[in-house]
Amino acid sequence: MRPRKRFGQHFLVDRQSVAAIVDAIDPRPGDHLVEIGPGTAALTVPLLERVGTMDAVEIDRDLAAGLRRRFGERLRVHEGDALAFDFAALAAGKGTRLRLVGNLPYNISSPLLLHLREFSAQVVDQHFMLQKEVVDRIVAKPGG
C-alpha cells in the first residue's frame, strides 16, 4: 500500500523502531488501546500480541477494509476522521479508560492533540510519534 498524500500518511517500517515504541508504551492485558491511524499495522501487530484485542480509528477506507479482513474481531476498526471522533463514547462502551497510540501525520498533529483535550477524563495516557517540528512548537516558550 502506498502512502496517500491527502492523508499525510507515513508508514513505520523499521522493526527495531517499532519494537522500541511498543516497549515504551508497555501495553498490558486488559488495557483498552486505541490506535489512531494504524495504516499498514506496523504497530498494530505487536500491540495485539500483548493485549489480544483493541480499537483503531482509520480515515483511509481502503486501509480500514484491509485491517478488518486481516484482524477480524481482534481489531475493532472505526472508519473515520480522528479529528471528529468521539473517544468518550468508545470509553463508555467498554467502561474503561483509554490508552491512545499512533504515528500521527504532521498536518493533523496539533489539531488532534487539541481535540483530545476534550477526552482527558476518559484517557489514561497517550503515546504518539510526532515530527520534530511539531514537538519543537509544543515545547516552545510563549511567543516562540
Side-chain angles (χ1 to χ4, degrees):
M1 183 60 102
R2 285 186 163 164
R4 293 189 176 157
K5 286 185 181 182
R6 73 175 182 221
F7 295 134
Q9 294 171 330
H10 295 281
F11 301 133
L12 290 171
V13 294
D14 185 289
R15 290 178 192 228
Q16 287 181 316
S17 295
V18 169
I21 292 165
V22 172
D23 285 345
I25 296 167
D26 193 25
R28 306 289 172 112
D31 286 350
H32 188 169
L33 288 183
V34 181
E35 185 175 3
I36 298 172
T40 58
L43 281 176
T44 313
V45 170
L47 291 172
L48 279 171
E49 287 173 357
R50 295 205 191 179
V51 296
T53 63
M54 58 187 270
D55 287 277
V57 179
E58 178 57 63
I59 194 170
D60 186 321
R61 69 174 179 249
D62 295 330
L63 288 173
L67 292 164
R68 285 186 188 103
R69 282 191 304 273
R70 183 173 175 187
F71 298 105
E73 293 180 13
R74 293 180 60 211
L75 183 66
R76 295 172 296 275
V77 179
H78 306 272
E79 190 174 324
D81 188 344
L83 292 170
F85 192 78
D86 183 0
F87 290 91
L90 190 57
K94 296 261 300 190
T96 59
R97 292 181 68 209
L98 309 174
R99 299 192 69 204
L100 305 178
V101 302
N103 179 30
L104 303 182
Y106 175 83
N107 60 333
I108 71 156
S109 295
S110 294
L112 181 61
L113 292 174
L114 292 172
H115 175 64
L116 292 174
R117 290 186 319 169
E118 297 175 35
F119 308 102
S120 61
Q122 292 85 24
V123 175
V124 174
D125 59 6
Q126 302 174 38
H127 298 265
F128 297 124
M129 280 57 65
L130 303 165
Q131 286 190 336
K132 183 182 182 314
E133 295 81 5
V134 174
V135 174
D136 287 345
R137 225 176 35 239
I138 291 169
V139 300
K141 293 180 181 177

